[in-house]
Amino acid sequence: MFILSELEDTVKIVPNDFRKDDNDAITDMLNEKYANKVVQEVGLCICVYDILETSEGIILYGDGCSYIKVTFRVVVFRPFVGEILTGKIKSCSPNGVLVTLGFFEDILIPGGALQPGTKFDPAEQVWVWNYEGEKMYMDIEEPIRFRVLREQFTDITPTVHPPLPPTGRRRSIADTTANDDLAANSTKIPPYSITCTIQEDGLGLLSWWGS
């Protein structure tokens, strides 16, 4: 579930941090930049693990800051395909079940990847597994065990569009609302998500299997 990944970056140390130990100052800046952030094709960075190599600091004229090239390792959340994890049900919808690990919530178990015979109950807003005539409700906050099927990285870097040519009219409220809606929708796409399954014995709610 957790791995170590080696990265390189150039760190900017401001004069106020010159009083710190070099490694402490570098680690603080790297954690500020990477902790709880997704790096494309790497995973969700948790924290800096160690500093492997640093260059001599370069202070630019008129800047006063020290710039140091750093090679370092970070603790990364990136489960492998086929790995079995345990989390809690965050929410249910006709699309499937969303699961949270507490620190990571972009985990989806699609409706087609639930136990055979499972149907969505629109009145209760939960999925229900009909097992040998007994209804097994997948309630919110229930611990659930699942297997990773695939992962997906999405580049959500904002795209800068050239300004529209003047139309001869002033900007309307509708224009502003449309742009705000587009910006809001763009933030709904997670940079890193996992699709999982519970279509195996032993997978699903822990209470189903007495564990």
Side-chain angles (χ1 to χ4, degrees):
M1 180 165 64
F2 294 103
I3 60 174
L4 288 177
S5 292
E6 184 175 319
L7 301 174
E8 290 185 355
D9 202 349
T10 299
V11 175
K12 174 183 175 181
I13 306 298
V14 298
N16 283 344
D17 286 339
F18 288 172
R19 57 185 173 78
K20 296 181 180 178
D21 176 79
D22 286 349
N23 270 13
D24 290 343
I26 291 170
T27 299
D28 289 346
M29 294 304 297
L30 289 174
N31 276 326
E32 183 177 331
K33 180 176 181 178
Y34 288 94
N36 203 32
K37 303 290 193 309
V38 170
V39 176
Q40 290 295 304
E41 305 305 325
V42 174
L44 174 66
C45 297
I46 305 300
C47 64
V48 173
Y49 181 75
D50 59 7
I51 307 296
L52 299 179
E53 187 177 350
T54 61
S55 68
E56 291 292 330
I58 299 175
I59 298 179
L60 300 182
Y61 176 76
D63 182 290
C65 298
S66 177
Y67 294 84
I68 304 173
K69 187 175 181 180
V70 184
T71 302
F72 59 101
R73 292 189 296 178
V74 290
V75 178
V76 174
F77 170 72
R78 189 179 183 180
F80 58 84
V81 173
E83 185 171 359
I84 294 177
L85 305 175
T86 301
K88 288 186 176 182
I89 295 177
K90 179 186 177 185
S91 64
C92 296
S93 74
N95 293 328
V97 176
L98 283 177
V99 178
T100 177
L101 296 177
F103 62 91
F104 184 76
E105 298 184 340
D106 295 310
I107 302 171
L108 173 66
I109 306 174
L114 300 174
Q115 291 281 2
T118 304
K119 295 183 179 180
F120 184 71
D121 185 334
E124 297 286 343
Q125 288 293 300
V126 296
W127 286 84
V128 183
W129 181 27
N130 294 289
Y131 178 69
E132 296 183 352
E134 184 178 356
K135 291 187 175 181
M136 317 281 277
Y137 287 85
M138 301 182 68
D139 292 321
I140 309 301
E141 293 292 325
E142 282 282 348
I144 185 170
R145 184 185 296 120
F146 52 91
R147 184 185 297 277
V148 177
L149 281 180
R150 58 183 175 273
E151 62 180 4
Q152 180 176 352
F153 287 94
T154 303
D155 186 357
I156 59 172
T157 305
T159 302
V160 178
H161 298 284
L164 296 175
T167 59
R169 64 178 176 84
R170 66 184 180 85
R171 184 180 176 88
S172 69
I173 295 177
D175 294 333
T176 304
T177 302
N179 285 340
D180 290 346
D181 287 345
L182 285 174
N185 287 335
S186 67
T187 63
K188 293 178 181 178
I189 303 173
Y192 176 54
S193 59
I194 300 173
T195 302
C196 304
T197 180
I198 60 169
Q199 284 188 337
E200 300 175 32
D201 289 343
L203 300 184
L205 268 60
L206 301 190
S207 59
W208 295 348
W209 310 102
S211 57

